[in-house]
Amino acid sequence: PGKHDANVPNINTVPGSDVFYVDCRLLPPVDPQAVLDKVRALASEVEERHGVQIEVSVVQQQAASSVAETSPVVAALSAAVARIYGVEARTLGIGGATVAAQLRQRALAAAVWTCLAGTCHQPNESSSIAAAIKDAQVFTHILMNHAHV
């Protein structure tokens, strides 16, 4: 669950309806319609079992295709990450709504990388200034060595 709408303002009334949202992030190869079909099937089971009505709707959808591992932008990013961080970049997929997903929806080749502190979406979420500086160096490396990307 990602969000829950307010329903009744007092504590001694059972609400007649309840609205909540589920944040469901999918990797590019996962078919969003198949996931939605499964959610609707589960909702139907709950409706039958408990005599309730459930409406399932998509509020926001940002699925985008992945960028090819052989893309020049992936090669440039991999080279920059290797040079600045001293590690070999791996191509993965993330199920998040990144800026790259928005660019790929517009048919632009875009790749994302991250250096995380392991505290995303948690209390006391934090980031590293040292990593932010290195990230800036990655951008600079790409711009100075791969201007054609």
Side-chain angles (χ1 to χ4, degrees):
K3 178 182 172 183
H4 186 268
D5 284 352
N7 42 41
V8 294
N10 48 326
I11 60 171
N12 63 344
T13 302
V14 176
S17 65
D18 195 38
V19 177
F20 66 93
Y21 302 79
V22 176
D23 184 351
C24 185
R25 299 171 187 222
L26 307 176
L27 295 175
V30 177
D31 177 17
Q33 188 59 50
V35 173
L36 188 55
D37 291 345
K38 180 65 175 177
V39 168
R40 287 191 169 127
L42 290 170
S44 292
E45 289 179 27
V46 172
E47 284 179 324
E48 275 187 49
R49 187 177 318 132
H50 297 286
V52 296
Q53 292 179 332
I54 299 175
E55 179 184 327
V56 176
S57 60
V58 176
V59 175
Q60 177 180 0
Q61 187 170 358
Q62 293 194 344
S65 62
S66 59
V67 65
E69 290 185 35
T70 57
S71 170
V73 71
V74 172
L77 179 56
S78 296
V81 168
R83 171 82 166 101
I84 304 304
Y85 280 99
V87 298
E88 183 179 337
R90 296 178 293 144
T91 54
L92 307 166
I94 64 166
T98 66
V99 173
Q102 295 173 10
L103 294 172
R104 288 194 300 269
Q105 286 173 336
R106 290 166 176 77
L108 298 170
V112 160
W113 90 98
T114 186
C115 179
L116 298 173
T119 60
C120 292
H121 307 293
Q122 298 177 33
N124 298 322
E125 181 175 358
S126 62
S127 63
S128 161
I129 292 174
I133 291 169
K134 283 189 168 188
D135 288 348
Q137 292 172 336
V138 168
F139 278 124
T140 302
H141 186 277
I142 292 169
L143 291 172
M144 300 305 290
N145 295 290
H146 302 280
H148 63 280
V149 174

